[in-house]
């Protein structure tokens, strides 16, 4: 089975939490306050499934080493969740607090063992989510024979209504289903993740900004040409807007990119086309990535536009038609098209 590049909409909707716990991280304390169990009501379980699905958009990373640290702890959970989930979740929370000592904010470090459905197969995954204590959830801790048990009494309304309550998130594929090992993001970082989070995860980027920039342009043009019959404009206009976005933006945001590329007064058609472009970006592994665009890395062949008339006349230019002094008219009653080129000079 070919590796997946990103978590598609269908995959995100299949998220199912198998085991869930959080440990409390307090500034100034050397170790987290650990729980032995967290009781979730059905609506709370659904809420956290959605938070995991929402958090699937992030920079793609590879583990530097798979037989140590975070990678090994996550694998141990997947290999034997019944025996390893609790101790390894504590180890992960402890490792996180150790790396984050300098400026840690009080909060909950969540570890979830969940599954997704990919091409008919059930794939186990691990999610680690840091949420601010004051904004996240209200809970009561009860002492039982086995240790401390947290009972979530209420999720604050502001938290329920906004996925931005997630401060940091990492989703781990310990197997070989995806092109990446980890999807990670931070709310306060528009590009990549903080160094301490990178050290905790022990990861390096799967792809670089230059390559992702090129993929964003090429995949947009591929999508536009494949769907040209349904587009209100010619495919090159979508490619041009993709390039313009990458030239004008200091960081790549998938939703903003798609909205900038797809311009349409027909609301229903625009929504359909935006979904189609998003699917294409997902397949190619660009959707959800956070990177600084490198427009200088876009090759001339992708910036170039070319028309070939029925008479075999070739017209080649860069950028939009107006800037290049080109005006392409509509077909007249005889099906003939006027093409005007305005220029100060030309060469043979």
């Amino acid at each position: 089975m070919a590796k997946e590049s990103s978590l598609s909409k269908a995959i995100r909707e299949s998220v199912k939490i198998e085991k869930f716990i959080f440990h409390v991280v307090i500034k100034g304390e050397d170790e987290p306050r650990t729980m032995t169990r967290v009781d979730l009501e059905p609506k709370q379980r659904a809420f956290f499934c959605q938070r995991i699905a929402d958090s699937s958009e992030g920079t793609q990373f590879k583990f530097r080493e798979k037989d140590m640290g975070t990678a090994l702890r996550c694998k141990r959970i997947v290999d034997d969740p019944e025996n390893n989930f609790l101790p390894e979740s504590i180890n992960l929370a402890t490792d996180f607090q150790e790396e984050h000592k300098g400026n840690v904010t009080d909060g909950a470090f969540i570890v979830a063992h969940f599954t997704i459905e990919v091409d008919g197969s059930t794939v186990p995954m691990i999610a680690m989510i840091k949420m601010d204590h004051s904004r996240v959830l209200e809970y009561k801790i009860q002492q039982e024979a086995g240790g401390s048990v947290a009972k979530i009494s209420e999720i604050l309304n502001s938290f329920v209504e906004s996925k931005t309550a997630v401060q940091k998130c990492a989703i781990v594929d310990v197997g070989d289903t995806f092109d990446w090992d980890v999807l990670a993001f931070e709310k306060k970082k528009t590009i990549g993740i903080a160094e301490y989070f990178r050290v905790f995860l022990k990861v390096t980027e799967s792809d670089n900004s230059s390559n992702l920039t090129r993929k964003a342009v090429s995949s947009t043009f591929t999508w536009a040409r494949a769907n040209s019959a349904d587009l209100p404009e010619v495919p090159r206009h979508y490619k041009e807007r993709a390039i313009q976005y990458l030239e004008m933006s200091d960081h790549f945001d998938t939703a903003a990119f798609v909205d900038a590329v797809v311009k349409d007064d027909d609301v229903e058609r625009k929504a359909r086309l935006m979904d189609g472009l998003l699917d294409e970006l997902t397949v190619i592994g660009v959707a959800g990535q956070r990177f600084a665009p490198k427009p200088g890395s876009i090759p001339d062949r992708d910036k170039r536009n070319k028309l070939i008339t029925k008479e075999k006349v070739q017209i080649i230019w860069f950028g939009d038609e107006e800037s290049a002094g080109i005006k392409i008219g509509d077909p007249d009653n005889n099906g003939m098209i006027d093409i005007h080129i305005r220029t100060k000079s030309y060469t043979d």
Side-chain angles (χ1 to χ4, degrees):
M1 183 177 66
K3 288 188 178 183
E4 299 286 333
S5 295
S6 302
L7 297 184
S8 66
K9 181 180 179 181
I11 293 175
R12 293 196 300 270
E13 290 175 347
S14 72
V15 170
K16 178 184 178 183
I17 293 176
E18 305 293 340
K19 290 186 175 296
F20 178 98
I21 200 165
F22 68 81
H23 305 294
V24 181
V25 177
I26 303 295
K27 185 175 182 178
E29 297 188 3
D30 292 333
E31 296 180 351
R33 300 179 185 180
T34 61
M35 304 294 112
T36 54
R37 190 179 77 242
V38 173
D39 294 330
L40 289 178
E41 296 177 0
K43 65 178 182 179
Q44 295 167 346
R45 184 175 295 274
F47 168 77
F48 283 111
C49 281
Q50 188 58 54
R51 295 291 72 73
I52 291 172
D54 290 342
S55 303
S56 64
E57 294 190 0
T59 304
Q60 298 177 4
F61 294 91
K62 289 280 191 180
F63 283 123
R64 294 198 301 270
E65 298 287 344
K66 286 195 173 185
D67 58 354
M68 60 182 296
T70 299
L72 181 57
R73 298 197 191 288
C74 291
K75 187 175 187 305
R76 285 173 176 167
I77 292 175
V78 170
D79 288 346
D80 189 357
E82 292 302 320
N83 292 311
N84 293 338
F85 178 72
L86 177 58
E88 290 298 352
S89 72
I90 294 174
N91 289 335
L92 287 167
T94 302
D95 292 346
F96 176 81
Q97 184 155 346
E98 178 65 29
E99 296 296 344
H100 196 13
K101 271 186 176 179
N103 57 348
V104 65
T105 55
D106 296 351
F109 182 83
I110 295 169
V111 179
H113 173 224
F114 69 98
T115 58
I116 53 177
E117 296 298 320
V118 181
D119 293 334
S121 299
T122 300
V123 179
M125 308 280 281
I126 300 295
M128 292 168 284
I129 304 173
K130 168 62 173 23
M131 296 182 173
D132 282 351
H133 193 177
S134 59
R135 296 178 54 202
V136 178
L137 39 80
E138 294 179 357
Y139 56 86
K140 296 178 180 179
I141 299 177
Q142 300 174 346
Q143 298 299 322
E144 297 185 0
S148 300
V149 175
K151 177 71 173 180
I152 297 177
S153 57
E154 180 182 358
I155 300 176
L156 302 182
N157 288 336
S158 61
F159 179 58
V160 171
E161 295 169 359
S162 175
K163 66 181 181 181
T164 59
V166 175
Q167 301 300 306
K168 302 170 181 65
C169 179
I171 292 178
V172 179
D173 172 23
V174 301
D176 201 34
T177 302
F178 295 90
D179 287 333
W180 41 266
D181 297 324
V182 179
L183 287 179
F185 87 92
E186 294 191 52
K187 177 184 173 183
K188 296 181 180 179
K189 299 281 288 185
T190 57
I191 300 171
I193 57 176
E195 183 61 23
Y196 78 85
F197 200 26
R198 184 191 302 270
V199 172
F200 161 69
L201 294 170
K202 295 178 175 57
V203 294
T204 185
E205 281 85 350
S206 295
D207 214 337
N208 58 61
S209 296
S210 294
N211 199 33
L212 289 169
T213 299
R214 291 191 292 269
K215 284 182 178 180
V217 174
S218 62
S219 60
T220 296
F221 198 32
T222 296
W223 163 81
R225 286 184 294 183
N227 295 275
S228 59
D230 195 31
L231 300 180
E233 301 177 69
V234 294
R236 66 175 179 275
H237 290 170
Y238 297 86
K239 182 186 68 171
E240 289 165 7
R241 287 197 289 268
I243 293 173
Q244 289 171 1
Y245 173 90
L246 294 164
E247 289 177 336
M248 299 298 293
S249 304
D250 58 4
H251 70 276
F252 182 86
D253 178 270
T254 304
F257 175 80
V258 172
D259 186 60
V261 170
V262 181
K263 300 297 183 184
D264 200 330
D265 293 332
D266 186 319
V267 176
E268 291 185 3
R269 183 173 59 191
K270 179 177 180 178
R272 184 174 68 253
L273 294 177
M274 289 178 69
D275 285 342
L277 177 55
L278 181 59
D279 288 343
E280 181 70 25
L281 295 171
T282 298
V283 170
I284 206 68
V286 174
Q289 294 264 34
R290 295 186 171 198
F291 61 94
K294 303 291 183 183
S297 67
I298 303 172
D300 285 346
R301 66 175 180 275
D302 287 345
K303 295 180 179 180
R304 182 180 63 195
N305 294 301
K306 181 170 70 172
L307 291 181
I308 303 177
T309 70
K310 185 177 181 180
E311 295 76 20
K312 305 302 180 183
V313 175
Q314 294 190 23
I315 306 170
I316 299 173
W317 74 96
F318 293 86
D320 63 89
E321 294 153 22
E322 183 177 356
S323 298
I326 297 173
K327 184 176 180 181
I328 303 173
D330 296 323
D332 62 18
N333 293 334
N334 297 316
M336 300 300 291
I337 300 171
D338 286 336
I339 300 177
H340 295 269
I341 302 175
R342 184 175 175 81
T343 183
K344 289 184 177 180
S345 64
Y346 62 90
T347 58
D348 291 329

